[in-house]
Every structure is written in C-alpha cells, then in structure tokens.
Amino acid sequence: MGTLIWLIALFFFLTGLAYARAGLLNATLATAAFLLVMTIASPVHWVIMLLLWAAFLGTAVPLNLTDWRQAKISAPALQWFRKVLPPISDTEREALEAGTVWWDGALFSGRPDWNTLHKYPKPVLTDEEQAFIDGPVEELCRMANEWQITTAFQNLPEEVWEYIKSNGFFGLIIPKEHGGKGFSAYAHSQIVMKLASRSGDLGSTVMVPNSLGPAELLLQYGTEEQKNHYLPRLAAGQEIPCFALTSPEAGSDAGAMPDRAIVCEGDWQGKKVLGLRVTWEKRYITLGPVATLLGLAFKVFDPDHLLGAEEDRGISLALIPTDTPGVEIGRRHFPLNAAFMNGPNSGTDVFIPMDYLIGGQERIGQGWVMLMNCLSVGRSISLPAGSTGAAKMASMTTGAYARIRRQFGLPIGEFEGIQEALARIGGNAYLMDAARTMTAGAVDLGEKPSVLSAVVKYHLTERMRQCLNDAMDVHGGKGICLGPRNYLGRAYQSIPISITVEGANILTRNMMIFGQGAIRCHPYVLREMLVTQNEDEHAAVSEFDDLLFEHVGFALSNAAGSFLLGLSAGHLARTPRHPETRVYYRQLSRLAAAFATMADTTMLMLGGELKRRERLSARLGDVLSNLYLGSATLKHYHDQGCPEEDLPFVEWALQDVLHKTEEALHQCLLNFPNPAVAMLLRIVVFPLGRHLAPPSDRVCAEIARRLMTPGAARDRLLAGCYRSSDPDDVTGLISYALEKIIAAEAIQARIAKAVKAGDLLVEPGADPIDAALQADLISAAEAEQLQAAEAARRAVIEVDSFSAQEMDPQHDTSKPLQV
C-alpha cells in the first residue's frame, strides 16, 4: 500500500508540475528532487526505483542537451511537419492573417484569466449617440409599418428613404470630418438592433452601408482623393452604396471568382488612360437595385505586362458609379417576401480608369486582405445586432402574449410546456445580447476579431432561429396568419436570409470557426507554420526547437489542467469571488483546458486531413463558440452590476452552453479517428464522467415569469428594443393590453373566487362582469376596468382575415390589404 501511495504521489506531482507550466529545466530539477526523497524515505522496492530513475534520466538528460535535441528530435519533427502541413491557398493565407486575436486566444490557451475579461471596459453610449437613438432612430421605427412595406410597396416608403438619407443613417461609421456621425461600433450595433426589432427590412437597409461596404473600405484603404469625394456624399445620402462579391459560380469559394479585369489602355473622358476592362456577373447584392455606387470584387490580369512582369495580379476592388456605360444593374431578387432591396448586377468589358480602384493602382491584388479585414468588423456587428433585435422582439411580444392569452381558465404562460419555450426565448435573448455587446466592445477597443465574428454570426443567427420558432409555437394560429396584426410572421419568413448571408452557416460552422481559429488563435501553430517557410535550415531548426518544446509544455499543461480540474470540479481554477456564478467560471475553466487538449491532439493526429474532417472541426468549433458565449454572459452580468433578479437568465444561458460544450466534446471523442487515443483523451477530459445538465425546470419557470411580468429584469432584457404603448400600433397593442390585463387581475381573481365558492352564480352564456356588478361584488369603475382589459385582450388575440376580392391575385397591390 505504501508503494502505491508513493507512486500515486509521484503521478500527481508530475501532473502538478505540468499544470504549473514549470518549464523543462525546472521540471527536471524538481522531479530529481522528488525521486531523491522517494529513494531515501519511501518503502518502494529498489527495482522499481531503479526503473523510475532510468526512465527519468533517459528522458530528462537528452532533452536538456540542446544540440542533441535539435539534431535528433526537432530537425526530424520539422521535416515531418512540412509534409503533413495542409496546403494553404493564397486566399486562405490572407484570411488567416486578417483580423486580430482577442478573447478567443485566451480560450485557446486553455487558461482564461477572468480578471482580464472583467477589466475590459463596458461599452457605453455617448450623449450624442443616445440622443440619436432616442430621436431619429425612435422616429424611424415609428414610421415603419412592416405590413405595408411588404405588401403594398415591396419597398420602404419614399418618406422613409428620405428620412434615412437626410438623418445620416448611411453615415454612422463615417468620421465627422467627412460629414458622418463618427459613432462607435457599440452605437452602430444598438442602432441596427433597435431598427431590426421593428422591421427586418429597415435593419437590413441601414446595416449594409455601415458594415461591409464602400465606406468601411474607403476609410481603411481609400486614397485621400477618394475619401474626400465619396465619404461626404455617402454620409449625406447623396450616394447609395452596395458591394458586389458573390458570383453564381463562386459563393463560399471566393477564390474561384470568375469575374475578371484586363489591364489595358482606353479612352476616358476624351483621353487615353491606363485602366481595366472588367467583366462580371454578381448576385444577392443588397441595395444593388437602388445603388448609385457599386463596390466590386474581381481578379486582375495583365497579359500585356503593362504593370510589370507578373500576369496574374490577384483579387482587387473598385468603386464604380452605376451610371458608367456598360453597368447592368437595377433588377431585384425577391428573398422570401422580404422587401429590402437586393438584386443582381453585371457588366461586359466595362472600361474603368485605374483611379476607380479602392486605394488606387498600388492596391491591385490586395482585395482579399481588404475584404477579410473589413468583413471581420462588419460581421461582428450587423447580423448579431439584427438577430438580437429579433430575439428581443420575440421576448417582448411572446412573454406578453403568454400572459394575455388564456386557455383552460389560465394564462397559457402558466403551463410548463409554454414556460419551456419562453425560457429558451428569454435565455437566448440574454445570451445573444451579451455576446453582441462584448464583441462590439472589442471592435471599439481596436480589435478586428475575425474568428469571433464568425462565432457570433453563426450562433446568434441560429439562436435567433430558435427564438422565432419558439415564439411561433407559443402564438399558434395568431403567428401563422399574415396581416396587419401579425408582428411575427415576416421575421419568421426571413430567418433563412440571416442564416445564408455573410458566410453561410453550414460553411461557417464546419470550416471557419475552428478551421481558422485553430491556426489563428493557437499560441504556437501559426508561428510553427511560418518557420517551415524559412530557407535558412539552421535558423529554422533552432527556432522550431524552441517553439516545439514550448508547445509540448503547453499541451502537457492543458492536459494536466483538464484532468486536475475535472477531478476537482474546477475548484483548482482561479475565478472571481462571485458566489452565485463562481461554479460557472470553474466549469468554463475546466472545459477551456479540455478544449485546448482536444484541439492540440486533433491537430497532431490529423494534420492536413483535418480540413476534410468537417464534422470533427465543427464540433470543436462548437466548443470554442460556447466557451465564448459563456464568457460573454458572465461579463454582461458583471457589467450590469450582478442584479439578483437577472440571475435566472444567466443560469439558463450558462447551463445551456456548458451542457452543449460537454456534449460536443463527447461527440468528438466518439468520432475520433484513433479509438485508443480517444480512450486516453476521455480519461483526461472526463475523469469523473459527464455530469453537466441542461437548464433546469426551476430556472425555466423563473424566466417565464419575468417575461410575463413588467419589471426591472424584463426592462433590462428588452433594453434597446423598439417598444410602443400605442394601442393602434401592431406591437404597441400587446404592451397596452398587458398593462390593462395586469391591472385588472386582482378584480378578476375576486370574481373567480366568488364563483368557485358559490357566492356568485353566473348563468350559462351570461357575462361574469355584469353578474358581479349586479351582485355588488365589484364597483362600476371596476367593471369598466375589466371590460377595457377584456377588449384589449380580445384585440390582441384577433387574427387577420380578408375578403375573396382582396385575396384575388388581380387585386390592386398598390393598396394594402385591409382587415
């Protein structure tokens, strides 16, 4: 027994050294000291000790001899690494080099520092930004009528277009010196979120010029002449921009873009100038049908070597006025009944001068880098904000509807099945708002989070899909009948649009999040890849040796951390002293170490094959994503001052992401290509098995009550959502009715109690309110209050219907259908 205890102690001592990242030399000295004490003081048989010393010396001594280690280990490893390194195309390399690494790098390290997370400043609005949201944004939301936009006009009304242009909505990100608003990324996100909570078409129209579009590209890469000419015009709404990237044969695979430009000389405004003859065909271009300024991506070729010896000059970007001869633009797509402007454009041998290139001639071939840098910013803001706006709208309306709508004598929100759906809506909305806010805040800190932008794009649009599906389930027939009273139907119809654009979700999950993050965010892999390109073999081996053994120590540390944190339920992790959330910090720390171990092992075992193992990559991406979403939720709660009444939302979100993280790791192990390695990994990752459960019924019930009850927690969840109390407004009616229903509930309960006790008899078909009034159970004022509440309730649950004439396809569509 004594021998076993000492051997176990040795194992945990070595594991502790690895977890502490002691370093090779320090670990060697510490292990030697422990073995010496063990030799002198322990009852371990001398044969076992001899074997332990032989194993230790046979490993430690050679590893500490730098020359031997480089020649026998690092040099062969470098050659092997060069062979298994997956081939990287130019577009992939440029994508990897684009953007910055932020909190995703901390998660990849396996040891996130929660104090660092909380030290990042909380995003706040300036007085000017808040005034814009309270003024023009509020007014624009009030002006928008989704039913008329999508049926009568299939477009925004002219007065809405004019209001957008004249109030600077197209210049949110343009600096003030160029006539724009100069707003922060967080303000941009808040504005898009509020607009989208009112109308998806409104949100899409405003978000595009302020995300991946000419303004962002000009700000980062334009010449001074281009900036001075175009930015004031864009800010004032004199130019309507669009950007054309997607081609019929090259959607996700932008590297296969067939659109091309030939360097040549041509006539331009009466002069012979050097320029490009461009041929292209693009589709799915938002604002394209009404754009006056076309941003265009294409490949440049110089067959006559007018620019130099190189013929293939790479992807380049240009700004082309749409009235340029040969530009074909103006036709519309019809994306699932959505009315935002979207359509194709094309051109054949359209001549443009070199100064139409964004950044001028010197930027030829840099287009993909330019796009990746801008996309990482725009994708961090636009769709996450729009998705969160839809989730908040679903929370606001569905929570109220669940209290207003009654079945079996009770508000439907009292039934556990409805509560489960309400909890998913509210919990997802809280998590989405947290991730949206944290990511926009990172952009304001100067980050260009290329990996995290893919995380929030994918997961927030998917969670928005879940919110709207659940909202439709709760509303039932009310949700499926389109008409002026329906506030859900158009948002539900448009779900696939967000899923598809700015990187289709299947591609984003299966190839981008982990596929890009594994190289971009890992502390060593990208540096090791760059070493392989060093032509100085001696320098390459020396540098690779340092990186390799740092990487090995890093991997052993994370494996030890995963094992020890798993055994201790995360208690060994350093976490903030928040008693109500500390358990979640501990579990995130444990799973971060497990993720780092799984990521390193997977990359080691599969090498270049990982590019083709998309399902495995997707599951590892899910782990990284959920760790980020959990981190954002905890930071959001911290930044808001940890209000106790918000705790159910935090608990739901963390229980959901932790359970999904553990399940994703489990699925990785089940499908790992090497069963023996998978068995060892399971011991390291799940030493005590899997035990994290999805959100509890108690938490679900608490969230449902908060969504159905006006109060501070509900107000914080809905902050930034468009909220009206006007009973003539489609969503204002439901808020108006909720107020009336709650105010009358005590009177209603008094009548119900009297009926149940037999003190009040209500004849079949009679009105209980009249009966209670005649029996002096309620006053005339109370009867009037009940009748007003009942009228409001009835107005909410009504659904739209139309005459046969109105439903006729030949009906005059210039007149909106009336109820």
Side-chain angles (χ1 to χ4, degrees), residues 597-808:
T597 300
M598 284 292 300
D600 262 324
T601 308
T602 303
M603 287 187 284
L604 175 66
M605 296 294 297
L606 293 179
E609 179 66 19
L610 184 57
K611 287 181 68 174
R612 291 175 288 278
R613 298 297 296 267
E614 292 180 18
R615 285 182 288 240
L616 190 57
S617 177
R619 293 177 185 119
L620 289 169
D622 290 343
V623 177
L624 173 63
S625 299
N626 283 314
L627 291 173
Y628 180 71
L629 298 176
S631 302
T633 301
L634 289 170
K635 176 167 171 56
H636 191 63
Y637 183 60
H638 174 271
D639 285 350
Q640 292 196 325
C642 301
E644 185 178 353
E645 58 267 36
D646 289 5
L647 195 55
F649 295 104
V650 179
E651 292 177 322
W652 188 96
L654 267 299
Q655 289 171 15
D656 180 67
V657 299
L658 289 172
H659 172 70
K660 288 178 176 175
T661 301
E662 200 172 65
E663 180 62 24
L665 287 169
H666 171 60
Q667 291 297 325
C668 285
L669 292 170
L670 286 179
N671 293 279
F672 203 76
N674 188 310
V677 174
M679 187 180 301
L680 292 173
L681 280 172
R682 188 171 290 278
I683 295 171
V684 172
V685 172
F686 298 127
L688 297 181
R690 292 180 295 130
H691 55 83
L692 298 176
S696 67
D697 292 349
R698 176 194 63 80
V699 168
C700 291
E702 289 292 334
I703 291 179
R705 292 188 188 99
R706 282 158 175 76
L707 287 190
M708 293 190 294
T709 308
R714 189 174 190 267
D715 288 342
R716 275 189 295 273
L717 181 72
L718 301 181
C721 177
Y722 177 71
R723 300 173 70 179
S724 170
S725 57
D726 181 359
D728 293 328
D729 181 84
V730 63
T731 56
L733 173 61
I734 198 166
S735 297
Y736 170 84
L738 179 64
E739 181 182 337
K740 295 290 184 185
I741 293 290
I742 291 175
E745 277 182 344
I747 307 170
Q748 188 72 50
R750 195 192 317 158
I751 295 175
K753 182 178 180 182
V755 171
K756 185 176 182 179
D759 297 333
L760 177 65
L761 298 177
V762 181
E763 297 294 330
D767 185 350
I769 299 175
D770 289 340
L773 180 62
Q774 292 172 8
D776 291 328
L777 184 63
I778 59 174
S779 67
E782 289 175 325
E784 186 177 345
Q785 185 177 355
L786 283 174
Q787 288 165 350
E790 177 61 20
R793 184 192 68 81
R794 183 62 192 234
V796 166
I797 68 173
E798 282 291 339
V799 297
D800 300 304
S801 60
F802 307 98
S803 68
Q805 180 183 5
E806 288 174 313
M807 297 297 291
D808 190 318

Side-chain angles (χ1 to χ4, degrees), residues 489-556:
R490 291 305 191 196
Y492 179 79
Q493 278 185 308
S494 299
I495 289 171
I497 298 173
S498 296
I499 301 300
T500 300
V501 300
E502 289 195 24
N505 277 12
I506 290 177
L507 168 76
T508 301
R509 175 175 179 258
N510 285 270
M511 298 181 68
M512 291 180 63
I513 294 176
F514 184 76
Q516 185 176 355
I519 299 172
R520 190 71 180 88
C521 302
H522 195 284
Y524 297 104
V525 170
L526 183 57
R527 292 155 64 191
E528 290 166 341
M529 291 173 65
L530 295 175
V531 169
T532 64
Q533 300 173 14
N534 191 339
E535 296 180 358
D536 185 336
E537 190 66 16
H538 178 75
V541 170
S542 178
E543 186 179 355
F544 187 78
D545 176 75
D546 291 338
L547 288 172
L548 176 63
F549 280 87
E550 286 180 23
H551 191 161
V552 169
F554 168 82
L556 291 174

Side-chain angles (χ1 to χ4, degrees), residues 130-149:
Q130 187 64 64
F132 186 79
I133 290 171
D134 294 339
V137 177
E138 181 79 10
E139 176 62 15
L140 185 56
C141 288
R142 188 197 62 76
M143 293 171 68
N145 182 314
E146 188 82 339
W147 176 246
Q148 287 190 338
I149 289 171

Side-chain angles (χ1 to χ4, degrees), residues 326-347:
V327 175
E328 298 291 336
I329 197 166
R331 294 183 64 82
R332 292 183 64 178
H333 298 310
F334 192 27
L336 295 173
N337 280 337
F340 69 93
M341 286 292 164
N342 186 277
N345 63 78
S346 61

Side-chain angles (χ1 to χ4, degrees), residues 44-72:
V44 177
H45 194 276
W46 68 269
V47 174
I48 296 176
M49 286 306 309
L50 184 63
L51 292 173
L52 290 174
W53 275 107
F56 166 67
L57 293 173
T59 302
V61 172
L63 290 181
N64 280 279
L65 298 175
T66 305
D67 291 341
W68 183 93
R69 186 181 68 213
Q70 289 183 2
K72 300 299 182 181

